[in-house]
């Protein structure tokens, strides 16, 4: 039933019933669901209880003394009430139970007793977030139900636009990268044209295959907009630029994190299950996303306008005392991204958070310290290191560090982690690998004689994953939802940093993952499905999985050797970004406010969730929703079904994908001419605007450890590369008044990026 196509009658009924509840600000969720029952009598099947027509009804068998009817929604949805209309010519049940499914058990949330009415109305004090609800008879009598209506909040779609018949990235595409669109219903071999909107000229042609088209070879050097045309039909316009995706997201990514902070963001209320970030819980991965962003492309974040500032804890009422402030503040002018790392670490240390995933995040801060210390006081490192070491092997967890989603059997990060999380995304396989390897490096820097214990723990964990994870089971992959990237990133980090010390079979395990991901992606959207039957993880809004998948794919690509496998996985990484930006069955961007916040986007998500734990609806660049299984393979008429709500975890998944994207495509090249002069070229996401001359810096160091920062300039307005020169003279190599001395048999190291994302070349100097 999940992938059924909504009929015209279905839509007519939905509109009629929606009008009935719209006055109450509610909608009938059951119309978008499917129904099953304990039994059926006389052809009166379960679907008749959710068809919007009270005159038709479901009837259980006369002998069924435990009759029940279950409605399954397209995804986790906020239910605020229910209405039960019993069949008009049958006696209603006197008692019944309303239940929801939690961890495989039906749990009663409402009881009806001594009923004599044909209509039962239930209003819940608090909304119930579920994907299925069961109504069960408690009087051992059969049931005849005309309508079982689950009520949800009606959120108004303010857009006056509609999706186009050809689905594209609504904002734009990157030069020299995969570029695709989807054309549902268009036959193979049909010609398509890429048309310059300004002059109406056809600038590229191709043919549709598998209801999709590829124009990756089209790399124009212009600011003009384009559209795809097929037989008189057209897509929304889009642009193509050197680093278009980075151009329209980098500043937005940082602004989201600034405003989503708990206590000091754009909302200063104290929120439940929130620590450093509102609705962040213990598994938000914020610190590691920020560290990855900065290490992959530091200049892009250092050159941004500084919007944040230090907010003293003492400026808040007594209820806020001690929630942050253990770390000494940073100076004015510190880049926003560094401020955000400081905030996350400060809250964790100040509140003594010791859940294994909270303390594991601190390893990223400590690892990045050599690149942060020019901005932050040394006390910050000392305090965080002391705290992290003191709780790393602590098996118990403080009550205040927990939430209802905790599944950890214990919290010693050196122990083997074999517990598999659920589709909530709260416990992905391998989450402890990178933190332990980082603590290994940090402890070596601090001359800790026990540093090896961290490496040993990471090795045991990785070896266990190689031997035990079954990629065929979607609960090891897409079933981990927005946290899936944690697993593949652990594989890539281990091998790239310790290739000679990695467990046997690591690269083969990654190749197996890639093959299975590709096997589930042969469709018109180049979209990796949950499994053979389901498109998206059952029960949840999967937004963060789509946003985080490019990180997993790019991490895997660094280890793969099969060029065809790499090429196909690269297409898949970009197709998921395209999916989030409109190349999906709804034709909408995942952000409700995208038309106001993202350059070039015309159509945002249907709605946004007002309120919620995180109060994120007014935070810029929040990802609100994504297509559900009901929308696939191509049923846009299903409309705004399932759950919609932003979550910090969705944005941090996107942050990490953008970091891995930057790292994967960053290149350095260094050549020396016959006179000994150096020509250095850097390819990195830095040239965003054709009307601005953007610059970069790379570090050039000699064997003695001396270094200079060499300025680079873009080669042209649409160039992916930036270039700089160093002239050789009697004193050494000179650039911009700086001299780098040279010794005999000198070797120079040129680098950009930091830590595990550093890109470097070593060149002997003539």
């Amino acid at each position: 039933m999940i992938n059924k196509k909504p009929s015209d009658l279905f839509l007519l009924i939905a509109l009629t019933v929606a009008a009935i509840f719209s006055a109450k600000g509610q909608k009938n969720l059951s119309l978008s669901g499917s129904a099953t029952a304990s039994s059926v009598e006389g052809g009166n099947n379960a679907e008749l209880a959710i068809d919007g027509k009270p005159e038709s009804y479901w009837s259980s068998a006369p002998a069924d003394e435990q009759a029940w009817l279950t409605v399954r929604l397209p995804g986790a949805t906020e239910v605020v009430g229910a209405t039960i209309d019993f069949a008009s010519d049958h006696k209603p049940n006197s008692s019944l139970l309303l239940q929801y499914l939690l961890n495989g058990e039906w749990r009663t949330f409402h009881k009806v007793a001594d009923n004599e009415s044909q209509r039962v109305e239930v209003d819940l004090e608090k909304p119930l977030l579920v994907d299925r609800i069961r109504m069960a008879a408690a009087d051992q009598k059969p049931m005849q139900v005309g309508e079982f209506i689950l009520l949800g909040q009606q959120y108004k779609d303010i857009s006056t636009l509609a999706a186009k018949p050809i689905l594209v990235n609504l904002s734009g595409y990157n030069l020299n990268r995969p570029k695709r669109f989807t054309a549902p219903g268009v036959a193979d071999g049909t010609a398509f044209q890429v048309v310059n909107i300004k002059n109406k000229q056809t600038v590229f042609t191709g043919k549709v295959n598998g209801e999709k088209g590829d124009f990756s070879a089209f790399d124009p050097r212009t600011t003009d907009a384009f559209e795809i045309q097929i037989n008189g039909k057209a897509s929304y316009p889009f642009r193509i630029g050197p680093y278009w995706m980075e151009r329209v997201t980098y500043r937005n990514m940082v602004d989201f994190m600034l405003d989503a902070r708990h206590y000091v963001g754009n909302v200063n209320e104290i929120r439940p299950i929130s620590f450093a970030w509102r609705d962040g819980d213990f598994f938000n991965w914020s610190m590691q996303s920020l560290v990855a962003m900065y290490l992959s492309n530091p200049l892009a974040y250092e050159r941004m306008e500084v919007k944040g500032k230090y907010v003293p804890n003492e400026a808040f009422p007594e209820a806020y005392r001690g929630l942050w402030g253990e770390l000494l503040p940073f100076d004015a002018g510190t880049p926003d991204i560094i401020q955000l790392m400081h905030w996350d670490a400060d809250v964790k240390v100040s509140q003594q958070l010791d859940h294994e995933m909270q303390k594991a995040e601190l390893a990223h801060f400590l690892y990045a310290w050599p690149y942060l210390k020019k901005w932050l006081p040394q006390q910050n490192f000392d305090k965080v290191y002391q705290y992290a070491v003191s709780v790393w092997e602590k098996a118990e967890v403080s009550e205040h560090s927990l939430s209802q989603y905790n599944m950890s059997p214990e919290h010693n990060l050196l122990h083997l982690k074999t517990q598999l999380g659920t589709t909530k995304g709260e416990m992905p396989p391998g989450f402890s690998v990178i933190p332990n390897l980082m603590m290994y490096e940090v402890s070596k820097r601090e001359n800790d004689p026990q540093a090896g214990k961290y490496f040993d723990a990471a090795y045991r964990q990785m070896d266990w994953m190689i031997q035990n994870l079954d990629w065929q089971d979607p609960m090891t992959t897409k079933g981990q939802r927005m946290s899936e990237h944690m697993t593949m990133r652990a594989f890539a980090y281990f091998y790239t940093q310790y290739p000679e010390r990695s467990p046997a079979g690591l690269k083969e395990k990654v190749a197996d993952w890639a093959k299975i991901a590709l096997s589930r992606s042969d469709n018109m959207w180049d979209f990796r499905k949950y499994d053979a039957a389901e498109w998206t993880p059952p029960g949840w809004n999967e937004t963060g999985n789509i946003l985080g998948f490019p990180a997993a794919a790019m991490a895997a690509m660094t280890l793969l050797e099969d060029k065809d496998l790499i090429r196909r996985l690269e297409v898949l990484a970009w197709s998921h970004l395209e999916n989030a930006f409109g190349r999906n069955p709804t034709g909408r961007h995942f952000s409700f406010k995208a038309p106001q916040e993202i350059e070039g986007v015309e159509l945002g998500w249907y709605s946004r969730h007002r309120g919620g734990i995180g109060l994120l609806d007014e935070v810029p660049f929040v990802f609100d929703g994504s297509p559900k299984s009901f929308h696939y393979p191509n049923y846009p008429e299903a409309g705004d079904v399932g759950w919609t709500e932003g979550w910090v975890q969705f944005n941090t998944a996107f942050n990490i994908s953008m970091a891995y994207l930057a790292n994967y495509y960053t290149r350095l090249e260094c050549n020396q001419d016959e006179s000994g002069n150096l020509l250095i070229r850097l390819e990195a996401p830095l040239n965003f605007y054709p009307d601005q001359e953007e610059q970069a810096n790379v570090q050039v160091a000699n064997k003695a450890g001396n270094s200079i920062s060499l300025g680079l300039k873009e080669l042209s307005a649409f160039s992916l590369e930036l270039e700089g020169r160093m002239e050789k003279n009697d004193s050494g190599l000179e650039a911009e008044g700086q001299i780098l001395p040279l010794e005999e048999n000198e070797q120079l190291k040129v680098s950009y990026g930091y830590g595990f994302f550093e890109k470097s070349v070593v060149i002997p100097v003539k």
Side-chain angles (χ1 to χ4, degrees), residues 200-219:
K200 311 301 182 185
Q201 296 296 309
T202 295
V203 290
F204 186 86
T205 61
K207 292 184 178 181
V208 172
N209 183 32
E211 299 181 84
K212 56 193 174 187
D214 192 314
F215 57 108
S216 302
F218 179 56
D219 288 308

Side-chain angles (χ1 to χ4, degrees), residues 621-634:
F621 199 58
V622 59
F623 291 100
D624 296 286
S626 57
K628 315 301 187 291
S629 277
F630 263 51
H631 292 105
Y632 287 101
N634 185 47

